[in-house]
Amino acid sequence: MNQYIETEKQYYMGTVRRQPVVIERGQGSRVWDTDGKEYLDFTAGWAVDCLGHCPPVMVQAIAEQASTLIQTSNQFYTLPQLKLVQILVENSALDKVFLCNSGAEANEGAIKLARKYGRENRNGAVEIITALDSFHGRTLGSLAATGNPHYQANFQPLMTGFVHVPYGDIEAIRKATNQNTCAVMLEPVQGEGGVNVPPADYLQEVRAWCDQEGLLLILDEIQTGIGRLGTLFGYEQFGVEPDVMTLAKAMGGGVPIGAFMCKDSCDVLRPGDHGSTYGGNALTAAAAYAVVKEVIDGGWVDHGRVMGERLKAGLERVKAAHEDSVKEVRGMGLLLAVEFHEAIAGEVVTSCNAGGLLLNPVRPTAVRFMPALNVSDAEVDIAVDRFERALVDAVERVSKG
Ligand SMILES: *Cc1c(COP(=O)(O)O)cnc(C)c1O
């Protein structure tokens, strides 16, 4: 395995901090490394592999589509694209879809839509209010939207037109609103920011404020969408409907695809305003359609919610048994985090790797759990068990220095 890690170091730009695990293949919630060691994968391709690794419906859809039609340009109509946008609209509160290739791209599109909407409906207003600790992507527009100076520091000057306010604080949004504001853009639960669940009435208050002021509410559901929080879309958990919603990650189940959606009331983009060469190409659209259809028809949203409750209960038991090291268990559905008293997340993840459980150290003091929606009872129980052992191991290692 070490030779692969050396090869990466020699040839790949040093932009990513990887775990020393070379994954060769995956099936369901399990992956195997190049030494044949098996792991339970509770990172799921970063909340992407919502049906686990290589789900048969997806493998079949890709194989069939690959031998039928892979890519045309968007100069033409294709059937997989139409099936995909239809299933997204029919199962959400939104009316129109634009297909792209990633989360950042989806947010770029949503930002452009909001700016044009502001130009046409709010006297040229173009400013967007976003939250601190948010994550909206790493392209220059989505990076400017992201409320985290850590990601932005080396890339100034950033695109202007974003105001950042504390997450979960409706008063801060009210204060930041002015005649130049066109939209508020939020994650229903912040993912990369550390799995931060807002106060229960926050999104409803934001919705009411946006209605009152004529602002668009953009929900970035790139991480929370397609079942992650226990409902098909995160907004359902909070009793609100966004005007604009962005999707990616689980929507493709592992193929690179994203989307931004809007209500008819703000469907302002016209020919020439936006485009994408690969966006919604036949191959990825067919794969995404198969994934979304299976998530809905297979009952995996409900299953995921039940598994989320089971996992949370298990992690709460670990907390109760290890109050010295575990401070909090938080999150919704299958987007959960364990917060430690000390910055031991890296050590815990190292011990988890050794014990056969893949987790994400989302913060120095927290690890994130985001398994596939179709993870089983038994897999959840094994993961909790492995996590507890790894925690004990890591704490012991840290205390020995
Ligand atoms: C992952 C993520 C993005 C960026 O998606 P990419 O596909 O990596 O560009 C944007 N917003 C949220 C909430 C995310 O979790």
Side-chain angles (χ1 to χ4, degrees):
M1 197 145 79
N2 286 338
Q3 83 263 27
Y4 300 120
I5 292 171
E6 283 307 312
T7 304
E8 194 264 7
K9 203 168 170 175
Q10 185 177 352
Y11 295 107
Y12 208 96
M13 283 193 197
T15 59
V16 264
R17 233 176 260 118
R18 299 184 203 260
Q19 295 297 325
V21 179
V22 183
I23 297 177
E24 191 165 59
R25 68 192 170 88
Q27 193 56 242
S29 284
R30 292 178 300 166
V31 294
W32 289 264
D33 71 14
T34 47
D35 295 336
K37 180 177 154 95
E38 183 184 310
Y39 304 82
L40 264 179
D41 180 7
F42 272 42
T43 64
W46 232 315
V48 168
D49 308 318
C50 59
L51 294 172
H53 293 276
C54 303
V57 284
M58 196 181 167
V59 171
Q60 195 189 339
I62 292 173
E64 276 172 17
Q65 193 59 45
S67 58
T68 307
L69 180 73
I70 294 176
Q71 153 84 354
T72 67
S73 72
N74 279 308
Q75 209 182 156
F76 308 104
Y77 300 87
T78 63
L79 301 185
Q81 195 176 96
L82 298 178
K83 283 162 84 174
L84 177 58
V85 295
Q86 200 173 341
I87 199 173
L88 289 174
V89 168
E90 283 175 354
N91 289 282
S92 73
L94 291 299
D95 301 311
K96 292 284 190 313
V97 190
F98 179 93
L99 295 171
C100 54
N101 310 288
S102 69
E105 253 185 84
N107 284 337
E108 293 285 335
I111 292 164
K112 284 177 70 177
L113 184 152
R115 284 190 166 192
K116 186 166 182 201
Y117 180 85
R119 241 172 247 294
E120 293 184 342
N121 300 282
R122 295 241 332 143
N123 294 319
V126 292
E127 222 166 70
I128 301 177
I129 299 172
T130 70
L132 292 168
D133 291 324
S134 61
F135 184 79
H136 297 297
R138 296 177 184 274
T139 54
L140 286 169
S142 64
L143 183 65
T146 292
N148 188 333
H150 171 72
Y151 295 126
Q152 300 170 335
N154 292 325
F155 309 102
Q156 306 282 350
L158 293 172
M159 196 173 110
T160 54
F162 293 94
V163 181
H164 299 109
V165 298
Y167 186 63
D169 180 350
I170 179 64
E171 210 38 54
I173 290 179
R174 292 191 184 122
K175 282 209 190 89
T177 302
N178 60 48
Q179 63 197 31
N180 201 29
T181 311
C182 68
V184 177
M185 180 173 181
L186 298 167
E187 296 156 86
V189 170
Q190 291 186 329
E192 300 309 300
V195 185
N196 306 318
V197 180
D201 51 359
Y202 177 59
L203 286 174
Q204 287 190 14
E205 288 176 330
V206 176
R207 177 72 271 178
W209 179 250
C210 288
D211 288 342
Q212 183 187 319
E213 298 294 312
L215 310 176
L216 294 181
L217 174 58
I218 305 172
L219 288 184
D220 177 344
E221 293 243 19
I222 289 164
Q223 188 154 154
T224 53
I226 316 297
R228 180 68 30 204
L229 298 189
T231 42
L232 188 58
F233 299 105
Y235 65 75
E236 297 168 50
Q237 294 281 351
F238 300 96
V240 298
E241 290 183 2
D243 302 298
V244 179
M245 171 169 77
T246 56
L247 295 173
K249 294 205 165 102
M251 169 193 171
V255 298
I257 190 166
F260 64 98
M261 302 180 68
C262 70
K263 295 253 192 198
D264 278 331
S265 54
C266 56
D267 178 24
V268 294
L269 297 179
R270 295 291 164 263
D273 279 341
H274 201 55
S276 170
T277 299
Y278 297 119
N281 72 73
L283 186 69
T284 55
Y289 172 73
V291 168
V292 173
K293 190 166 166 29
E294 174 65 18
V295 166
I296 294 169
D297 294 352
W300 297 116
V301 177
D302 288 338
H303 178 83
R305 185 170 58 238
V306 174
M307 290 304 105
E309 284 160 9
R310 189 178 185 98
L311 178 56
K312 199 171 193 182
L315 297 175
E316 289 287 1
R317 281 196 303 276
V318 174
K319 175 181 177 253
H322 305 274
E323 296 273 7
D324 294 355
S325 31
V326 178
K327 187 174 166 195
E328 184 189 32
V329 177
R330 62 171 176 262
M332 286 179 92
L334 281 174
L335 184 57
L336 299 172
V338 170
E339 179 85 28
F340 306 112
H341 291 295
E342 318 273 343
I344 58 169
E347 293 292 338
V348 171
V349 166
T350 298
S351 294
C352 282
N353 290 342
L357 173 66
L358 302 182
L359 291 183
N360 165 248
V362 67
R363 284 194 164 183
T365 53
V367 292
R368 178 171 42 165
F369 297 73
M370 43 185 168
L373 302 181
N374 61 0
V375 68
S376 70
D377 282 11
E379 286 164 339
V380 166
D381 297 349
I382 294 168
V384 170
D385 191 47
R386 289 183 185 175
F387 171 66
E388 183 170 17
R389 284 164 204 253
L391 175 65
V392 170
D393 179 63
V395 168
E396 197 180 288
R397 200 149 23 86
V398 168
S399 71
K400 281 186 187 148

